Amino acid sequence: VQLQASGGGLVQAGGSLRLSCAASGRTFSRYNMGWFRQAPGKEREFVSVISRNGGSTYYGDSVKGRFTISRDNAKNTVYLQMNSLKPEDTAVYYCAADSGVLNPQRVTNQYLYDYWGQGTLVTVSS
């Protein structure tokens, strides 16, 4: 599956953005879909993941209560609604697809994800 992330941009602190990740192919609903981010000079960080049918979601501690992940399997798209943005949210955001069993203990492991999008840059100014 090919993934194309979009929706990044420049926003002031406290603002909102919605990222989208469009997937090619007819097998989108077979994948758990995740978002990761990587800030300059830092390691890639888990942001969120959603199960195949959208029934389960998990978030990294730094974004809980501010970000919401959702998906539309009819449109082969996963979204990340980001509210109350902070300068420390500045990063390149990547979407990823996982074909395995969704395990809450392991969702933060980027190496479990099979496919990655190209990333979209989010910059939050103070």
Side-chain angles (χ1 to χ4, degrees):
V1 63
Q2 292 184 325
L3 305 175
Q4 180 76 34
S6 62
L10 175 63
V11 63
Q12 289 188 333
S16 298
L17 278 177
R18 188 176 81 155
L19 305 183
S20 299
C21 175
S24 63
R26 301 180 179 180
T27 60
F28 178 72
S29 61
R30 297 182 184 177
Y31 296 92
N32 304 309
M33 295 299 299
W35 287 96
F36 286 75
R37 67 185 183 185
Q38 189 166 19
K42 295 189 177 181
E43 294 185 353
R44 192 167 293 187
E45 175 190 18
F46 169 76
V47 174
S48 184
V49 67
I50 187 167
S51 61
R52 292 171 175 80
N53 64 1
S56 297
T57 59
Y58 301 95
Y59 297 92
D61 289 341
S62 61
V63 306
K64 280 180 183 176
R66 299 189 298 123
F67 291 11
T68 302
I69 192 171
S70 61
R71 67 189 297 164
D72 185 338
N73 285 347
K75 296 183 178 180
N76 283 8
T77 303
V78 61
Y79 305 97
L80 186 68
Q81 178 66 43
M82 306 186 295
N83 298 329
S84 302
L85 282 162
K86 305 175 182 180
E88 51 263 45
D89 294 317
T90 295
V92 177
Y93 283 72
Y94 299 91
C95 57
D98 166 32
S99 62
V101 176
L102 186 62
N103 183 338
Q105 306 302 319
R106 302 179 68 194
V107 293
T108 60
N109 185 347
Q110 61 177 307
Y111 299 105
L112 297 180
Y113 292 78
D114 305 290
Y115 302 98
W116 291 83
Q118 87 290 356
T120 185
L121 177 62
V122 172
T123 303
V124 184
S125 63
S126 57

